[in-house]
Amino acid sequence: MTWLGIAALGVLLALPAVVSSYVLTILIFIFFYAFLGQAWNVVGGYAGQLSVGHAAFLGVGAYASAVLAQEVGLSPWLGMFVGGALAGALGAVIGYLGFRFGLRGFYFVLLTVAFAEVCRIVVNNVEAVGGAVGFYITFTGDPRQFQFRDNRAWYYVTLVLMLAATGIVALIERRRFGVYLAAIREDESAAEALGVDTLRYKMLAMIVSSFLTGVGGTFYACYLLSLQPNAVFGIPLSVEIIIRPIVGGSGTLLGPILGSFILTPLAEVSRYYLGQGGWHGAHLIAYGVLLVAVVLFLPEGAYPRLVRLVRARKRA
Amino acid sequence: MSLLEARGLSKRFGGVRAVDHLDLALAEGDLLGLIGPNGAGKTTAFNLLSGFLAPDAGEIRLRGRSIVGLKPHRICQLGVARTFQIVRPFPRMTVLQNVEVGALARHAGTGAAVRVARAVVEQVGLGPKANAVASGLTMPERKRLELARALATEPAVLLLDEVMAGLNPTEIERMVVLLREIHAAGMSMLLIEHNMRAVMALSQRVVVLNFGSKIAEGAPAEVARHPKVVEAYLGEEYVDAAPAR
Ligand SMILES: Nc1ncnc2c1ncn2[C@@H]1O[C@H](COP(=O)(O)OP(=O)(O)O)[C@@H](O)[C@H]1O
Ligand SMILES: [Mg+2]
């Protein structure tokens, strides 16, 4: 397993030397969505609190970092953490409202969606950050401004993001924090009876998750150079964030990565071909079908199934 | 001073007085049985003591300190651990991981918590099942797991809600032996139990509830002859069980 990990890492480090720029772009999105999925995994997977509003955190992080860079001249390298902190604060507010007042299941989903929608509508109407027209970032190609001319640099940036988030989740998983989150997901009352401060740990999970997602906002802003409120705060983006860890295996360390390697190329290809035929947004239908299939046939996601297959083969 | 003490504890659900001015006192090392017909309010009393429900009236003190209004996790950290009548294992976690959650209440590091959990799993006889997923356990195993998790929090008082319900006579006998061992090691316990033979065999003192109120308290044999108890309970099984002690 360790050797497999090292080998995989070696391949990932070497890939930019051999693949085309188009493939590199797809890999960048694979890593970035794996990163976002991993961030979501903390609260949505491990703690089992289904947030469907994570686009709000990405949007807050992206806007904060972009606006600070354009208007105040703060480097996105620092703005990244300001954006993360603001997203974390928003996560704390949403988490407190949801957890303190015991909103579970469906009601928590609605709360998170509602908050993301409120963000979207508010930003659409704040002219200072471009309103519905969007906010644009001047291209400089200056690494100090978190901009790169070479796609290979972006590749390594997103690879580091993905690995860092995965490292953080791996640390959480092995500690009391991670065990408590799993207990909360499995049975909240039983966890509480065993001394788990469920409110506190759910809040922590939400804050870590929204902070990381907010950090990701800086990549989104600096890579795309334009922020549209309807896109960056929209429900479709929230769905993009959660569908990968769910398909790959939520609450598992490698699930979000596997999910992103499966879905991101698929989304890219279907977006391209269906979009060409004028079928814009049709890939969302494909997601719907896929999600139903996963719920029916792989309720734990692809990663746990893969692990079981490998084990069974070893025994055979 | 009592270790755990309740005074005038009351809880209503709409028109139902589930617990009605209940007084309970448990001294260090006591094993107190709590019995009564179905719906008498026993589980509700546990929910009040463990902070899962807020009392409408009354006081609960742990070593003299009021614990009314504290959250369940706080009460657990202070040393009152409870089990659930309808067991609530963490289904996709292994037996050992389930118990580890309890042990983490006293040991912040997972290494130490796992060591404690392993010892407790052995103690309740689930050693061979340590790495089995909880959802695959049989009912007797689940009852033991429920007990193990509570024990792993290293409580001062154990509140056990019908840990023998659904077990066959052999399994009940083994559970009685196990509880006796735990008690002999110094644990104070409040035991809700339907199985009269087990209650009689284990308890030093028994409190009888009916319609939320205490109708009798005393040594098991004494309580069994109490006319109110016989009336409330249909005491045949009782009278049979009492001499077995
Ligand atoms: N959450 C609840 N809501 C409404 N009524 C309840 C609730 N819990 C218990 N009761 C009622 O309170 C009474 C006592 O129940 P319970 O404490 O479970 O009894 P026991 O454990 O002695 O069988 C019963 O009449 C029961 O229906
Ligand atoms: Mg009961």
Side-chain angles (χ1 to χ4, degrees):
Chain A
M1 197 63 209
T2 321
W3 286 110
L4 205 64
I6 292 170
L9 191 62
V11 169
L12 290 181
L13 286 174
L15 266 184
V18 292
V19 300
S20 72
S21 179
Y22 176 63
V23 172
L24 210 59
T25 304
I26 291 183
L27 283 165
I28 286 169
F29 280 105
I30 289 177
F31 296 160
F32 183 57
Y33 278 117
F35 163 80
L36 293 176
Q38 196 66 278
W40 177 86
N41 201 20
V42 175
V43 71
Y46 284 90
Q49 309 297 312
L50 198 63
S51 163
V52 190
H54 260 51
F57 308 130
L58 187 74
V60 165
Y63 266 90
S65 161
V67 170
L68 284 172
Q70 290 295 110
E71 311 293 334
V72 190
L74 180 75
S75 163
W77 287 102
L78 294 174
M80 186 186 305
F81 297 100
V82 178
L86 287 174
L90 178 63
V93 170
I94 297 174
Y96 191 78
L97 288 175
F99 305 144
R100 175 65 187 80
F101 299 104
L103 299 187
R104 291 187 189 181
F106 195 57
Y107 297 99
F108 186 70
V109 171
L110 283 183
L111 178 78
T112 56
V113 170
F115 258 91
E117 282 295 279
V118 167
C119 288
R120 184 178 68 80
I121 292 161
V122 167
V123 175
N124 255 310
N125 289 287
V126 176
E127 297 307 325
V129 297
V133 177
F135 191 83
Y136 295 85
I137 296 159
T138 325
F139 178 71
T140 57
D142 180 356
R144 281 171 303 179
Q145 289 306 310
F146 204 81
Q147 293 187 16
F148 306 95
R149 286 171 193 281
D150 191 334
N151 231 5
R152 280 174 294 187
W154 286 115
Y155 174 94
Y156 288 111
V157 165
T158 48
L159 179 62
V160 166
L161 278 176
M162 177 182 83
L163 293 179
T166 304
I168 289 169
V169 172
L171 278 179
I172 290 174
E173 199 179 40
R174 281 151 206 241
R175 277 156 205 275
R176 172 155 82 174
F177 186 24
V179 178
Y180 274 2
L181 292 187
I184 287 168
R185 174 190 66 212
E186 296 285 288
D187 189 325
E188 215 172 308
S189 296
E192 185 75 30
L194 294 171
V196 180
D197 187 343
T198 54
L199 174 62
R200 178 188 147 142
Y201 284 98
K202 284 193 289 181
M203 285 293 289
L204 279 175
M206 188 68 167
I207 291 169
V208 169
S209 177
S210 50
F211 171 83
L212 287 174
T213 308
V215 165
T218 292
F219 164 81
Y220 186 100
C222 296
Y223 188 71
L224 299 178
L225 298 173
S226 92
L227 296 174
Q228 310 295 326
N230 288 342
V232 71
F233 289 103
I235 292 172
L237 183 56
S238 287
V239 172
E240 296 281 357
I241 292 175
I242 72 170
I243 193 167
R244 288 166 177 78
I246 290 178
V247 167
S250 65
T252 66
L253 184 60
L254 298 180
I257 298 177
L258 182 63
S260 193
F261 268 92
I262 296 171
L263 275 182
T264 309
L266 215 64
E268 194 56 39
V269 166
S270 65
R271 205 194 316 261
Y272 182 73
Y273 287 104
L274 295 172
Q276 252 184 350
W279 291 72
H280 296 287
H283 70 285
L284 289 175
I285 298 173
Y287 278 4
V289 173
L290 194 73
L291 205 57
V292 170
V294 167
V295 168
L296 286 179
F297 303 113
L298 290 174
E300 295 166 72
Y303 182 68
R305 174 62 63 95
L306 192 70
V307 169
R308 237 172 292 136
L309 280 178
V310 170
R311 283 208 189 120
R313 176 145 307 182
K314 265 188 191 157
R315 240 175 278 140
Chain B
M1 183 174 56
S2 294
L3 176 59
L4 183 67
E5 183 174 22
R7 291 246 159 273
L9 208 54
S10 300
K11 181 74 188 177
R12 309 175 60 125
F13 295 111
V16 180
R17 289 169 197 271
V19 172
D20 197 10
H21 293 94
L22 176 64
D23 297 336
L24 279 178
L26 193 75
E28 198 91 45
D30 268 4
L31 200 169
L32 179 63
L34 187 57
I35 65 173
N38 252 326
K42 307 178 297 291
T43 297
T44 303
F46 266 23
N47 284 334
L48 294 169
L49 292 173
S50 58
F52 276 87
L53 286 173
D56 298 331
E59 184 55 274
I60 306 166
R61 290 178 181 279
L62 178 67
R63 296 197 179 95
R65 172 187 167 174
S66 174
I67 56 169
V68 173
L70 298 184
K71 296 262 210 69
H73 72 264
R74 221 21 232 139
I75 293 176
C76 171
Q77 288 163 2
L78 291 173
V80 180
R82 58 120 8 127
T83 65
F84 292 93
Q85 178 177 352
I86 298 163
V87 294
R88 314 187 69 131
F90 302 123
R92 289 184 294 175
M93 293 163 83
T94 66
V95 166
L96 191 62
Q97 285 168 333
N98 264 269
V99 181
E100 181 193 352
V101 174
L104 283 166
R106 301 279 172 234
H107 307 273
T110 46
V114 168
R115 275 195 296 281
V116 170
R118 214 175 276 285
V120 175
V121 165
E122 289 295 336
Q123 185 188 357
V124 303
L126 282 176
K129 291 279 181 169
N131 294 315
V133 175
S135 60
L137 297 182
T138 63
M139 184 45 78
E141 288 165 348
R142 283 167 194 237
K143 293 278 183 183
R144 279 168 188 266
L145 177 58
E146 195 74 16
L147 172 64
R149 288 196 311 192
L151 262 183
T153 67
E154 298 173 19
V157 190
L158 258 182
L159 310 182
L160 302 179
D161 196 348
E162 299 201 21
V163 285
M164 299 184 213
L167 306 193
N168 70 33
T170 333
E171 292 154 0
I172 288 176
E173 194 46 50
R174 288 171 56 195
M175 186 60 100
V176 167
V177 170
L178 176 59
L179 293 184
R180 207 179 261 141
E181 278 169 18
I182 294 167
H183 179 233
M187 183 67 69
S188 314
M189 292 190 216
L190 191 51
L191 179 73
I192 295 179
E193 199 41 72
H194 254 309
N195 185 288
M196 280 309 131
R197 195 176 289 277
V199 176
M200 297 300 171
L202 281 165
S203 310
Q204 303 156 319
R205 222 152 38 87
V206 178
V207 166
V208 189
L209 282 189
N210 199 19
F211 297 113
S213 309
K214 193 197 292 186
I215 56 169
E217 177 167 7
E222 211 175 286
V223 162
R225 286 191 297 271
H226 197 293
K228 265 189 175 172
V229 176
V230 176
E231 185 191 324
Y233 223 104
L234 288 179
E236 273 151 74
E237 193 191 348
Y238 240 99
V239 181
D240 284 352
R245 210 179 118 83

Coordinates of all heavy atoms in Angstrom, one line a residue, chain A residues 126-176:
Chain A
V126 N -24.4 43.4 -5.4 CA -23.4 44.4 -4.9 C -22.5 44.9 -6.0 O -21.7 44.2 -6.5 CB -22.5 43.7 -3.8 CG1 -21.5 44.6 -3.3 CG2 -23.4 43.2 -2.6
E127 N -22.8 46.1 -6.4 CA -22.1 46.6 -7.6 C -20.6 46.8 -7.3 O -19.8 46.7 -8.3 CB -22.7 48.0 -8.0 CG -24.2 47.9 -8.4 CD -24.4 46.9 -9.5 OE1 -23.6 46.7 -10.4 OE2 -25.5 46.3 -9.5
A128 N -20.3 47.0 -6.1 CA -18.8 47.2 -5.8 C -18.0 46.0 -6.2 O -16.8 46.2 -6.4 CB -18.7 47.5 -4.3
V129 N -18.6 44.9 -6.2 CA -17.8 43.7 -6.6 C -18.2 43.2 -8.0 O -18.1 42.0 -8.3 CB -17.8 42.5 -5.6 CG1 -17.2 43.0 -4.3 CG2 -19.2 42.0 -5.3
G130 N -18.9 44.1 -8.7 CA -19.2 43.8 -10.1 C -20.6 43.3 -10.3 O -21.1 43.1 -11.5
G131 N -21.4 43.1 -9.2 CA -22.8 42.6 -9.4 C -22.9 41.4 -10.3 O -22.1 40.5 -10.3
A132 N -24.0 41.5 -11.1 CA -24.3 40.3 -12.0 C -23.3 40.2 -13.1 O -23.1 39.2 -13.7 CB -25.7 40.5 -12.5
V133 N -22.6 41.3 -13.4 CA -21.6 41.3 -14.5 C -20.4 40.4 -14.1 O -19.8 39.8 -15.0 CB -21.1 42.8 -14.8 CG1 -20.1 42.8 -15.9 CG2 -22.3 43.6 -15.2
G134 N -20.1 40.4 -12.8 CA -19.0 39.6 -12.4 C -17.8 40.4 -12.0 O -17.8 41.6 -12.3
F135 N -16.8 39.7 -11.5 CA -15.6 40.4 -11.1 C -14.4 39.9 -11.9 O -14.3 38.6 -12.0 CB -15.4 40.2 -9.6 CG -14.3 41.0 -9.0 CD1 -14.6 42.4 -8.6 CD2 -13.0 40.6 -8.8 CE1 -13.6 43.2 -8.1 CE2 -12.0 41.4 -8.3 CZ -12.3 42.7 -7.9
Y136 N -13.6 40.8 -12.4 CA -12.5 40.3 -13.3 C -11.2 40.6 -12.7 O -11.0 41.6 -12.0 CB -12.7 40.9 -14.7 CG -14.0 40.4 -15.3 CD1 -15.2 41.0 -15.0 CD2 -13.9 39.3 -16.1 CE1 -16.4 40.5 -15.6 CE2 -15.1 38.8 -16.7 CZ -16.3 39.4 -16.4 OH -17.5 38.9 -16.9
I137 N -10.2 39.7 -12.9 CA -8.9 39.9 -12.4 C -7.9 40.1 -13.6 O -8.0 39.4 -14.6 CB -8.5 38.6 -11.7 CG1 -9.4 38.4 -10.4 CG2 -7.0 38.6 -11.3 CD1 -9.4 37.0 -9.9
T138 N -7.1 41.1 -13.5 CA -6.1 41.4 -14.5 C -5.1 40.3 -14.6 O -4.5 39.9 -13.6 CB -5.4 42.7 -14.2 OG1 -6.3 43.6 -13.5 CG2 -4.9 43.4 -15.5
F139 N -4.9 39.9 -15.8 CA -3.9 38.8 -16.0 C -2.5 39.4 -16.0 O -2.2 40.4 -16.8 CB -4.1 38.1 -17.3 CG -3.0 37.0 -17.6 CD1 -3.0 35.9 -16.8 CD2 -2.1 37.2 -18.5 CE1 -2.0 34.9 -17.0 CE2 -1.1 36.2 -18.7 CZ -1.1 35.1 -17.9
T140 N -1.6 38.9 -15.1 CA -0.2 39.4 -15.1 C 0.7 38.3 -15.4 O 1.8 38.5 -15.8 CB 0.1 40.0 -13.7 OG1 -0.1 39.0 -12.7 CG2 -0.8 41.2 -13.4
G141 N 0.3 37.1 -15.0 CA 1.2 36.0 -15.2 C 2.3 36.0 -14.1 O 3.3 35.3 -14.3
D142 N 2.1 36.8 -13.1 CA 3.2 36.9 -12.1 C 2.9 35.9 -10.9 O 1.9 36.0 -10.3 CB 3.1 38.4 -11.6 CG 4.1 38.6 -10.5 OD1 4.8 37.7 -10.1 OD2 4.2 39.8 -10.0
P143 N 3.9 35.1 -10.7 CA 3.7 34.1 -9.6 C 3.4 34.7 -8.3 O 2.7 34.1 -7.5 CB 5.0 33.3 -9.6 CG 5.6 33.5 -11.0 CD 5.1 34.9 -11.4
R144 N 3.9 35.9 -8.1 CA 3.7 36.6 -6.8 C 2.2 36.9 -6.6 O 1.7 37.1 -5.6 CB 4.5 37.8 -6.6 CG 6.0 37.5 -6.2 CD 6.8 38.8 -6.3 NE 6.7 39.3 -7.7 CZ 7.4 40.4 -8.1 NH1 8.1 41.1 -7.2 NH2 7.3 40.8 -9.3
Q145 N 1.5 37.0 -7.8 CA 0.1 37.3 -7.8 C -0.7 36.0 -8.0 O -1.9 36.0 -8.3 CB -0.2 38.3 -9.0 CG 0.2 39.7 -8.7 CD -0.2 40.2 -7.4 OE1 -1.4 40.2 -7.1 NE2 0.7 40.8 -6.6
F146 N 0.0 34.9 -7.7 CA -0.7 33.6 -7.8 C -1.2 33.4 -9.2 O -2.3 32.9 -9.5 CB -1.8 33.4 -6.8 CG -2.2 32.0 -6.5 CD1 -1.4 31.3 -5.5 CD2 -3.2 31.3 -7.1 CE1 -1.7 30.0 -5.2 CE2 -3.5 30.0 -6.8 CZ -2.8 29.3 -5.8
Q147 N -0.4 33.8 -10.2 CA -0.7 33.6 -11.6 C 0.5 33.0 -12.3 O 1.6 33.3 -12.0 CB -1.1 34.9 -12.3 CG -2.4 35.5 -11.7 CD -2.9 36.7 -12.5 OE1 -2.4 36.9 -13.6 NE2 -3.8 37.4 -11.9
F148 N 0.2 32.0 -13.2 CA 1.2 31.3 -13.9 C 0.9 31.3 -15.4 O -0.2 31.1 -15.8 CB 1.4 29.9 -13.3 CG 1.5 29.9 -11.8 CD1 0.4 29.7 -11.0 CD2 2.8 30.1 -11.2 CE1 0.6 29.8 -9.6 CE2 2.9 30.1 -9.8 CZ 1.8 29.9 -9.0
R149 N 2.0 31.4 -16.2 CA 1.8 31.4 -17.6 C 1.8 29.9 -18.1 O 1.2 29.6 -19.1 CB 2.9 32.1 -18.3 CG 2.8 33.6 -18.2 CD 4.0 34.3 -18.7 NE 4.0 35.7 -18.3 CZ 3.2 36.6 -18.9 NH1 2.5 36.3 -19.9 NH2 3.2 37.9 -18.4
D150 N 2.4 29.1 -17.3 CA 2.6 27.7 -17.7 C 1.6 26.8 -17.0 O 1.5 26.8 -15.8 CB 4.0 27.3 -17.4 CG 4.4 25.9 -18.0 OD1 3.5 25.1 -18.3 OD2 5.6 25.7 -18.2
N151 N 0.8 26.0 -17.8 CA -0.1 25.1 -17.2 C 0.5 24.1 -16.3 O -0.2 23.7 -15.3 CB -0.9 24.4 -18.4 CG -2.4 24.5 -18.2 OD1 -2.9 25.2 -17.3 ND2 -3.1 23.8 -19.1
R152 N 1.8 23.8 -16.5 CA 2.4 22.8 -15.6 C 2.5 23.4 -14.2 O 2.4 22.6 -13.2 CB 3.8 22.5 -16.1 CG 3.8 21.5 -17.3 CD 5.1 21.2 -17.9 NE 5.6 22.5 -18.6 CZ 6.7 22.5 -19.3 NH1 7.4 21.5 -19.5 NH2 7.0 23.6 -19.9
A153 N 2.7 24.7 -14.1 CA 2.7 25.3 -12.7 C 1.4 25.1 -12.0 O 1.3 24.7 -10.9 CB 3.1 26.7 -12.8
W154 N 0.3 25.4 -12.8 CA -1.0 25.2 -12.2 C -1.2 23.7 -11.8 O -1.9 23.4 -10.8 CB -2.1 25.6 -13.2 CG -2.2 27.0 -13.4 CD1 -2.0 27.8 -14.5 CD2 -2.7 28.0 -12.4 NE1 -2.2 29.1 -14.3 CE2 -2.6 29.3 -13.0 CE3 -3.1 27.9 -11.1 CZ2 -3.0 30.4 -12.3 CZ3 -3.4 29.0 -10.4 CH2 -3.4 30.3 -11.0
Y155 N -0.7 22.8 -12.6 CA -0.8 21.4 -12.3 C -0.2 21.1 -10.9 O -0.9 20.5 -10.1 CB 0.0 20.6 -13.4 CG 0.1 19.1 -13.1 CD1 -0.9 18.2 -13.7 CD2 1.1 18.6 -12.3 CE1 -0.8 16.9 -13.4 CE2 1.2 17.2 -12.1 CZ 0.2 16.4 -12.6 OH 0.4 15.0 -12.4
Y156 N 1.0 21.6 -10.7 CA 1.6 21.4 -9.4 C 0.9 22.1 -8.2 O 0.8 21.6 -7.1 CB 3.1 21.7 -9.4 CG 3.9 20.7 -10.2 CD1 4.5 21.1 -11.4 CD2 4.0 19.4 -9.8 CE1 5.2 20.2 -12.2 CE2 4.7 18.5 -10.6 CZ 5.3 18.9 -11.8 OH 6.0 18.0 -12.5
V157 N 0.3 23.3 -8.5 CA -0.4 24.0 -7.5 C -1.6 23.1 -7.0 O -1.9 22.9 -5.9 CB -0.9 25.4 -8.0 CG1 -2.0 25.9 -7.1 CG2 0.2 26.3 -8.1
T158 N -2.4 22.6 -8.0 CA -3.6 21.9 -7.7 C -3.2 20.5 -7.1 O -3.9 20.0 -6.2 CB -4.5 21.7 -8.9 OG1 -3.7 21.2 -10.0 CG2 -5.2 23.0 -9.2
L159 N -2.1 19.9 -7.5 CA -1.6 18.7 -6.9 C -1.3 18.9 -5.5 O -1.7 18.1 -4.6 CB -0.4 18.2 -7.7 CG 0.2 16.8 -7.1 CD1 -0.8 15.7 -7.3 CD2 1.5 16.5 -7.9
V160 N -0.6 20.0 -5.2 CA -0.3 20.3 -3.8 C -1.6 20.5 -2.9 O -1.7 20.0 -1.8 CB 0.6 21.5 -3.7 CG1 0.7 22.0 -2.2 CG2 2.0 21.1 -4.2
L161 N -2.5 21.3 -3.5 CA -3.8 21.5 -2.8 C -4.4 20.1 -2.5 O -4.8 19.9 -1.3 CB -4.8 22.3 -3.7 CG -4.6 23.8 -3.7 CD1 -5.6 24.4 -4.7 CD2 -4.8 24.4 -2.3
M162 N -4.5 19.3 -3.4 CA -5.2 18.0 -3.2 C -4.4 17.2 -2.2 O -5.0 16.6 -1.2 CB -5.2 17.2 -4.5 CG -5.8 15.8 -4.4 SD -5.8 14.8 -5.9 CE -4.2 14.2 -5.9
L163 N -3.1 17.1 -2.3 CA -2.3 16.3 -1.3 C -2.4 16.9 0.1 O -2.5 16.2 1.1 CB -0.9 16.2 -1.8 CG -0.7 15.4 -3.1 CD1 0.8 15.4 -3.5 CD2 -1.2 14.0 -2.9
A164 N -2.4 18.3 0.1 CA -2.4 18.9 1.5 C -3.7 18.6 2.2 O -3.8 18.2 3.3 CB -2.2 20.4 1.3
A165 N -4.8 18.7 1.4 CA -6.2 18.5 2.0 C -6.2 17.0 2.4 O -6.8 16.7 3.5 CB -7.3 18.8 1.0
T166 N -5.7 16.1 1.6 CA -5.7 14.7 1.9 C -4.9 14.4 3.2 O -5.2 13.6 4.0 CB -5.2 13.9 0.7 OG1 -6.1 14.2 -0.4 CG2 -5.3 12.4 1.0
G167 N -3.7 15.1 3.3 CA -2.9 14.9 4.4 C -3.6 15.4 5.7 O -3.6 14.7 6.7
I168 N -4.3 16.5 5.6 CA -5.1 17.0 6.8 C -6.1 16.0 7.2 O -6.3 15.7 8.3 CB -5.7 18.4 6.4 CG1 -4.6 19.5 6.3 CG2 -6.7 18.8 7.5 CD1 -5.0 20.8 5.8
V169 N -6.9 15.5 6.2 CA -7.9 14.6 6.5 C -7.3 13.3 7.1 O -7.9 12.7 8.0 CB -8.8 14.3 5.2 CG1 -9.8 13.1 5.5 CG2 -9.5 15.5 4.8
A170 N -6.1 12.9 6.6 CA -5.5 11.7 7.1 C -5.1 11.9 8.6 O -5.3 11.0 9.4 CB -4.2 11.3 6.3
L171 N -4.7 13.1 8.9 CA -4.4 13.4 10.3 C -5.6 13.3 11.2 O -5.6 12.8 12.2 CB -3.7 14.8 10.4 CG -2.2 14.9 10.1 CD1 -1.8 16.3 10.2 CD2 -1.4 13.9 11.0
I172 N -6.7 14.0 10.6 CA -7.9 14.0 11.4 C -8.4 12.6 11.6 O -8.9 12.2 12.7 CB -9.0 14.8 10.6 CG1 -8.6 16.3 10.6 CG2 -10.4 14.6 11.2 CD1 -9.5 17.2 9.8
E173 N -8.4 11.8 10.6 CA -8.9 10.4 10.7 C -8.3 9.6 11.8 O -9.0 8.8 12.4 CB -8.6 9.7 9.3 CG -9.5 8.5 9.0 CD -9.2 7.9 7.7 OE1 -8.0 7.8 7.3 OE2 -10.1 7.5 7.0
R174 N -7.0 9.8 12.1 CA -6.3 9.0 13.1 C -6.5 9.5 14.5 O -6.0 8.9 15.4 CB -4.9 9.0 12.8 CG -4.5 8.0 11.7 CD -3.3 8.4 10.9 NE -3.3 7.9 9.6 CZ -2.4 7.1 9.1 NH1 -1.4 6.8 9.8 NH2 -2.5 6.7 7.9
R175 N -7.0 10.7 14.6 CA -7.1 11.3 15.9 C -8.5 11.2 16.5 O -9.4 10.8 15.9 CB -6.7 12.8 15.8 CG -5.3 13.0 15.9 CD -4.9 14.3 15.2 NE -3.5 14.1 14.8 CZ -2.4 14.3 15.5 NH1 -2.6 14.7 16.8 NH2 -1.2 14.1 15.1
R176 N -8.6 11.6 17.8 CA -9.9 11.6 18.5 C -10.9 12.3 17.6 O -12.1 11.9 17.5 CB -9.7 12.3 19.8 CG -11.1 12.4 20.5 CD -11.0 12.5 22.0 NE -10.6 13.8 22.5 CZ -10.6 14.1 23.8 NH1 -10.8 13.2 24.7 NH2 -10.2 15.3 24.1

